[in-house]
Amino acid sequence: MNNPPLVSLIIITMNHEKFIEQACVSAISQDYPNYEIILLDNASKDNTFENAEKTLSKFGKPYKMIRNTESFGVAKNINIAVSQASGKYVSLLSGDDWLTENHLSEKVAYIEEKKVDFILSDGYKYYQSEDKTIDAYTPKEKKQVIDSLDHFFHENVSENKTANVGTFVRKDLLVQYPFDENINTEDWDMNLRLTSKGYKIGFIDKKLFYYRILSTSLSRNWKVMKDSYEKVTSKYLDYIKADKELYKKYRLNLIHFKYEILLSETESEPEKNKLQTEWKKEKYRIKYKNPVLFFKLLMIK
């Protein structure tokens, strides 16, 4: 590629001293010829910053280190880092995840050829406690994502169906539409915001990232996720309510959060069984209008 565009690879990290070296090594090992690295440490209380600086010092190209003196949410940290970025494109990486060596080269080639505005890709999930790696998507899930790209907003407005590791986006869009700092699922919110405004999303059917899942991952915190879900969907609630299927999915998701929170707050097996039964009944009430099926609902014990 002649005159390859500059990419700003942004790493957001906090208390990742055990993982940050792997993330940084994957960043400095990219086979793409023209990129900078910007690492923002969100007031870590361990040696994350020192470990990152030691690794990035081996990078033979420009890089920046930002160290917060107080802790902020992920969205605000990304906005801070983007303000320091010089690239045409921004690639985002969490300090506990890592990228394949061809991550940037594949994404630049795709976005330049397809003329889309931002990109997602296939990848892997790594379960830290089990030392197990699996595909980020099942074949069915991936096909659904790829098939829905032209109507991505509609398919994802009531629930996030994508793995957003290694999000790759035009920097000017992040300047014009910064991440919402009041939301924890900032990546899903950004996907919806851009596609709702007509910007095009692409998907590379190649495994270009590793998403590390920890027991403390945000996806395990049901109260936080419920709050974030309601904040994101509230922006598009009129659209959701106007479509029966979307509204049904929305209500089912709220019930899901409700009972996951309740289940997480009890250790009593009888109480858990009772909650599971109540959950099942509420799902039936929303999913089925057929009297026979409703009778089946009443028979659940």
Side-chain angles (χ1 to χ4, degrees):
M1 181 184 296
N2 294 327
N3 299 317
L6 179 66
V7 176
S8 297
L9 200 171
I10 292 175
I11 305 171
I12 304 295
T13 186
M14 179 180 178
N15 297 332
H16 289 146
E17 67 175 359
K18 296 180 180 179
F19 313 125
I20 191 62
E21 181 180 1
Q22 187 172 29
C24 289
V25 166
S26 78
I28 68 177
S29 301
Q30 292 296 302
D31 60 16
Y32 185 70
N34 190 25
Y35 69 105
E36 64 177 2
I37 295 174
I38 300 171
L39 183 138
L40 186 149
D41 179 85
N42 189 34
S44 291
K45 298 183 184 303
D46 58 14
N47 292 317
T48 297
F49 186 87
E50 291 77 11
N51 292 353
E53 190 167 38
K54 181 179 178 181
T55 304
L56 293 181
S57 66
K58 303 171 185 176
F59 187 47
K61 299 173 184 176
Y63 70 92
K64 299 176 184 177
M65 302 281 292
I66 303 169
R67 192 173 198 176
N68 289 347
T69 55
E70 60 180 304
S71 176
F72 302 117
V74 175
K76 183 167 184 175
N77 285 319
I78 295 174
N79 290 338
I80 292 171
V82 168
S83 72
Q84 301 296 310
S86 302
K88 179 180 179 181
Y89 302 114
V90 167
S91 183
L92 300 176
L93 177 64
S94 172
D96 55 348
D97 301 328
W98 69 101
L99 308 175
T100 61
E101 291 184 1
N102 59 336
H103 185 97
L104 295 183
S105 58
E106 289 286 349
K107 290 195 169 178
V108 172
Y110 185 99
I111 202 168
E112 293 277 300
E113 177 186 351
K114 303 294 185 181
K115 305 302 179 185
V116 296
D117 302 295
F118 63 116
I119 309 171
L120 302 176
S121 77
D122 196 3
Y124 296 102
K125 293 179 181 178
Y126 174 70
Y127 289 85
Q128 179 70 31
S129 61
E130 303 170 50
D131 189 23
K132 181 176 72 174
T133 301
I134 66 171
D135 293 339
Y137 298 94
T138 65
K140 181 180 179 181
E141 289 170 341
K142 185 163 62 174
K143 184 177 187 304
Q144 288 176 338
V145 171
I146 294 172
D147 290 346
S148 70
L149 289 177
D150 290 338
H151 41 100
F152 182 92
F153 173 80
H154 183 85
E155 292 298 321
N156 286 269
V157 69
S158 64
E159 59 182 314
N160 182 27
K161 298 179 180 179
T162 59
N164 297 297
V165 181
T167 297
F168 190 95
V169 59
R170 285 168 36 198
K171 182 202 165 187
D172 64 298
L173 292 182
L174 297 186
V175 173
Q176 186 175 359
Y177 306 107
F179 281 90
D180 186 335
E181 297 178 4
N182 296 310
I183 291 175
N184 288 299
T185 48
E186 72 291 329
D187 42 18
W188 177 36
D189 180 63
M190 180 59 69
N191 291 347
L192 294 180
R193 191 182 325 177
L194 294 181
T195 51
S196 71
K197 295 181 180 299
Y199 293 104
K200 295 182 178 180
I201 187 170
F203 185 90
I204 301 178
D205 190 6
K206 295 181 180 180
K207 296 187 182 300
L208 302 179
F209 67 79
Y210 289 83
Y211 170 43
R212 191 188 309 271
I213 298 178
L214 306 168
S215 60
T216 56
S217 291
L218 178 60
S219 59
R220 305 289 181 93
N221 189 327
W222 293 109
K223 285 186 177 180
V224 173
M225 292 299 290
K226 178 178 181 291
D227 176 73
S228 194
Y229 179 82
E230 290 177 329
K231 285 179 178 177
V232 172
T233 53
S234 68
K235 300 179 181 183
Y236 310 105
L237 204 50
D238 288 342
Y239 182 93
I240 292 170
K241 287 183 175 180
D243 185 286
K244 289 183 179 179
E245 287 304 311
L246 285 181
Y247 191 45
K248 183 187 294 185
K249 291 177 182 177
Y250 168 78
R251 293 169 66 198
L252 288 170
N253 278 317
L254 289 181
I255 290 173
H256 179 84
F257 287 121
K258 170 186 172 181
Y259 281 99
E260 289 288 7
I261 291 169
L262 291 172
L263 286 167
S264 70
E265 292 175 341
T266 182
E267 296 182 359
S268 166
E269 287 304 319
E271 181 65 20
K272 286 184 178 180
N273 291 334
K274 179 183 176 183
L275 288 170
Q276 291 283 5
T277 299
E278 291 175 358
W279 184 358
K280 192 175 294 185
K281 286 182 178 180
E282 285 204 51
K283 286 195 292 186
Y284 265 72
R285 290 191 186 99
I286 291 174
K287 292 176 73 172
Y288 304 114
K289 300 299 182 182
N290 187 302
V292 175
L293 292 173
F294 189 72
F295 176 75
K296 183 179 178 182
L297 158 66
L298 295 177
M299 297 299 292
I300 295 175
K301 295 181 180 180

